[in-house]
Every structure is written in structure tokens, then in C-alpha cells.
Amino acid sequence: MGIYEELQARGLIAQVTDEERIRDLVNNGKATFYIGFDPTADSLHVGHFMALCLMKRLQEAGNKPIALIGGGTAMIGDPSGRSDMRQMMTPETIQHNCDCFKRQMSRFIDFSEGKALMVNNADWLLDLNYVEVLREVGAHFSVNRMLTAECYKQRMEKGLSFLEFNYMIMQSYDFYMLFQKYGCNLQFGGDDQWSNMLGGTELIRRKLGEDASAMTITLLLNSEGKKMGKTQSGAVWLDPEKTSPFDFYQYWRNVADADVLKCIRMLTFLPLEEIDRMDAWEGAQLNTAKEILAYELTKLVHGEEEAEKAQTAAKALFSQGAAADMPTAELTADDLTDGSIDILSVLVKSGLVPSRAEARRAVQQGGVMVDGEKVSDIKTAYGADAFAGEGMVVKKGKKNFRKVMMK
């Protein structure tokens, strides 16, 4: 099985242009391909997982990845999947985010000896002359066709700014420049990016002729992958300072039964034969599958040692044993009032909830446990000795845990 056939078997490919040429490129390690990342935060999140795993798979098959950081397009913002306009960022913030991205991507992609590139579209977009863009690029785009694109239709009701309207042109120009500068002959993206990518393919063909080997491919469920990174408490980040390895493990350990095998197939590097055998799993076996998923992805992002620690801590929680490696919150004497602290304050101080109001709701709804015992009274308080030694384990809901100790 070639890498193209493996991508199909894992359910990653939704739609392609010129399939036979793409199959030949990737199966024979002849593709120089790019995927774009807008630096809208200082960390990647699990919504980027599919793209990162795809780049890793293709590089291991001999192809060359280009991670395109949207330092220029981030100054405008992609309207795809949005009902409002993105917040504009300063050049300094964008550069900081780009630096953070490269460090995290290096866990997936080998950038040594020119095996992969990271480039920033600010290098060519920020120097463009407006009249030149209108003449050389804008002339190749039909406004009528652009307005039929799903990414624009979603914004038309609330108002699509002219600023955002230019995003498709800029993304298309990216592919044109990458083709010219680096020989990039293939682009990947989510199904919500299809219109933008077709624009890039069309621009190359119009400017360089039908024989220009520009091709496009999109990933099935990339948009769903972005949704995977959203929880009730916000994004699940790849940065351990934002989402601890334990919380990262717990996120994947708690995916829905219906999604676990799909996630294993799409996101892990386990052999397909092993995954195929799991397709018949049901009931308690799905919990084993979730542990496999959580361990494999935590190992991929944070390393084997952190994955082992997170798995051990998670199992210790369910067996009510010691959980030395779970995330820890420390209280100080200043957090106590008359020598004690109530459960609402414990929840807030530990970072399990953002406010006392939410803490109150969690207790009243029966979603809080301390050392395995449900807390139902919002006035429950604890003295300093409760946090001595190993501290106490505070649990909110099914996914969120903290070991709370006294500093």
C-alpha cells in the first residue's frame, strides 16, 4: 500500500484534483506540499492535529513539507467558518506566535538539512503594490464566482468586509509564490478551504499555462478536527503550559464512544491492520481504545515519559490510589480565612472554574468530588491540614482534576 492509499484507508481524503498525478507524486516521494497555519495564538491546538499528522506521514514517505505561516494573511483574517471579523494583531504578536508554532511543529516535522521548510507569507504579501495586485492577480478572479464560495456566503448576512473579501486572492497568491519560489506542487487544507485552494490552482494555470503542475487536495473532516479542539473550557492546546499533559491525556480519554476508533484511525500512527481489528470492539473494550488513543497522542505531543505519567495518574484516579503526576495547584496561607477555605474558593484557586458563581453551580449540580467523595454543600470548608502531605484530589465533572496542596 502506498502512502496515498493509506491516507484513503484512514479516511483523510475528501476530494482531489487530478488524482492520478497526485497519487504518483506522493507515492514516489516527489511532492513538495504546503499546509497553511494562521498564527492567531501562541500555541497550536488539537484542531491542527490532522494537518500536523498528515505532514508527518507524507514526510516519512519521502515528500517535502512546507509549513506556511500566515503572518501576512493573519493581518486580514480568514472568513471561513466565522460569523464575525477576526481581531487584528500587531506584527510583534504575529512574530511571537510564529516562533512558538515552529517549536511545536518540530515534534512532528523534521526541519533539518532542508527536509522541510517553514516560510511566512508576510515575506511577499507585505511588499505587494496595490495597483500591481489589481492588474496581475485580481484580473484572474471572478467576483460572481467568489461570492458563491461557502466561506463568503456564511458572512454575507452579517456583512462581509472588503478586507476579508481579499482573503481568497491572498491565499491563492500564496500557492502561486510557493510554486515559483520553492517548486511547491501540491497544497492541502480542510474542506472549508476548497474554494480558496481552487483559486490558487486556477491562478497558476492562468499565469503559467495549463502544463504547470499545480494540484490541490483537501482533507476530509479537517473542519471537524478544529471542533475537536474545543471544549467547555476553551481550546485544548499543544503547549504544556496551557494544557498540561495530564489534561491533554484526559481530553482524549473522554472522547465519545462513536468517535474513538475514527480518531485512532485518522490521528495515530498505529498500523492499519491493528486498527482494523479494533473495529469490532464494543462496550468495555471502547474504554481500552480510548486509553490507547490518549496515550498515543500524548506521546506524540509531549513525549513517552509524559504519556506514561499521565496514564499512570489517570488510572490512579479511577482506583482512588496516589496520583502524583496529575496537575497540581498550590494554596498559600493568604488563601485561608480564619484557618480554612471553602470548597468554592478551592475550585476557583485551583483553576478548575473561572468564578465562584460557576463553582456554586458545579457543587449544586453534583459535579464536584474531593478525594472520591461527592461535595453537595457549598459551605463545605477545609483546614490547612487537608492539604498537607500528598494534598487532596479535587474533581469537577468527568474530565477535570487537580491535586491541591499547601505551599
Side-chain angles (χ1 to χ4, degrees), residues 79-95:
S80 301
R82 296 185 61 83
S83 59
D84 57 0
M85 195 165 130
R86 287 194 188 276
Q87 188 74 27
M88 292 198 188
M89 298 182 294
T90 65
E92 293 76 18
T93 299
I94 291 172
Q95 184 58 52

Side-chain angles (χ1 to χ4, degrees), residues 198-251:
L198 289 180
T201 301
E202 183 67 17
L203 179 62
I204 291 175
R205 287 180 174 163
R206 282 177 174 269
K207 291 185 70 67
L208 303 178
E210 289 293 329
D211 292 334
S213 55
M215 287 159 280
T216 308
I217 190 169
T218 126
L219 306 184
L220 177 67
L221 297 176
N222 185 274
S223 296
E224 183 174 323
K226 293 179 182 178
K227 295 174 186 175
M228 288 179 190
K230 299 295 182 182
T231 66
Q232 293 179 353
S233 57
V236 174
W237 304 99
L238 306 195
D239 183 344
E241 297 299 317
K242 289 177 173 287
T243 299
S244 71
F246 177 82
D247 284 340
F248 188 86
Y249 179 96
Q250 284 297 106
Y251 173 78

Side-chain angles (χ1 to χ4, degrees), residues 111 118 144 183 192 195 223 233 298 315-316 332 337 344 364 366 396 400:
F111 287 99
M118 174 176 278
N144 288 350
D192 58 337
S195 297
S223 296
S233 57
T298 305
K315 289 182 176 179
T332 67
T337 302
L344 303 187
Q364 291 174 337
K396 173 188 169 286
N400 299 308

Side-chain angles (χ1 to χ4, degrees), residues 2-8 12-13 22-23 25-35 50-66 108-110 115-116 185-189 217 219 269:
I3 184 63
Y4 184 82
E5 288 74 25
E6 181 177 345
L7 298 181
Q8 288 181 312
L12 294 171
I13 297 177
I22 294 173
R23 186 193 308 272
L25 278 178
V26 299
N27 280 350
N28 292 289
K30 297 187 294 186
T32 298
F33 66 96
Y34 97 89
I35 298 180
M50 190 176 296
L52 294 169
C53 292
L54 180 78
M55 296 174 87
K56 180 177 174 67
R57 293 184 205 280
L58 287 171
Q59 187 181 47
E60 290 178 349
N63 299 286
K64 184 175 181 177
I66 299 176
F108 295 81
I109 304 164
D110 182 2
K115 294 175 185 173
N185 52 19
L186 189 59
Q187 59 177 331
F188 287 75
I217 190 169
L219 306 184
F269 287 78

Side-chain angles (χ1 to χ4, degrees), residues 29-235:
K30 297 187 294 186
T32 298
F33 66 96
Y34 97 89
I35 298 180
F37 300 82
D38 273 349
T40 52
D42 59 1
S43 173
L44 298 165
H45 56 73
V46 298
H48 296 111
F49 232 103
M50 190 176 296
L52 294 169
C53 292
L54 180 78
M55 296 174 87
K56 180 177 174 67
R57 293 184 205 280
L58 287 171
Q59 187 181 47
E60 290 178 349
N63 299 286
K64 184 175 181 177
I66 299 176
L68 179 66
I69 304 298
T73 41
M75 293 189 174
I76 287 183
D78 181 2
S80 301
R82 296 185 61 83
S83 59
D84 57 0
M85 195 165 130
R86 287 194 188 276
Q87 188 74 27
M88 292 198 188
M89 298 182 294
T90 65
E92 293 76 18
T93 299
I94 291 172
Q95 184 58 52
H96 170 71
N97 293 350
C98 290
D99 294 340
C100 294
F101 276 21
K102 185 165 187 178
R103 287 195 297 271
Q104 293 175 351
M105 286 179 181
S106 294
R107 293 203 67 95
F108 295 81
I109 304 164
D110 182 2
F111 287 99
S112 68
E113 302 174 354
K115 294 175 185 173
L117 298 174
M118 174 176 278
V119 297
N120 190 331
N121 64 14
D123 294 344
W124 53 80
L125 291 179
L126 298 190
D127 292 331
L128 286 174
N129 175 281
Y130 184 62
V131 174
E132 180 185 357
V133 172
L134 291 177
R135 288 174 56 88
E136 300 298 323
V137 183
H140 298 292
F141 287 82
S142 161
V143 171
N144 288 350
R145 283 185 60 188
M146 290 172 71
L147 289 176
T148 64
E150 194 62 34
C151 61
Y152 289 139
K153 287 195 290 187
Q154 293 174 6
R155 292 281 287 115
M156 289 294 286
E157 290 184 10
K158 291 193 175 182
L160 176 69
S161 71
F162 182 70
L163 184 74
E164 295 169 288
F165 187 66
N166 281 270
Y167 192 92
M168 181 186 291
I169 294 175
M170 295 175 74
Q171 184 171 334
S172 300
Y173 190 73
D174 283 344
F175 192 24
Y176 171 73
M177 289 300 295
L178 291 169
F179 181 84
Q180 294 274 74
K181 290 169 69 73
Y182 304 107
C184 180
N185 52 19
L186 189 59
Q187 59 177 331
F188 287 75
D191 49 8
D192 58 337
Q193 295 290 316
W194 184 244
S195 297
N196 293 349
M197 293 189 296
L198 289 180
T201 301
E202 183 67 17
L203 179 62
I204 291 175
R205 287 180 174 163
R206 282 177 174 269
K207 291 185 70 67
L208 303 178
E210 289 293 329
D211 292 334
S213 55
M215 287 159 280
T216 308
I217 190 169
T218 126
L219 306 184
L220 177 67
L221 297 176
N222 185 274
S223 296
E224 183 174 323
K226 293 179 182 178
K227 295 174 186 175
M228 288 179 190
K230 299 295 182 182
T231 66
Q232 293 179 353
S233 57

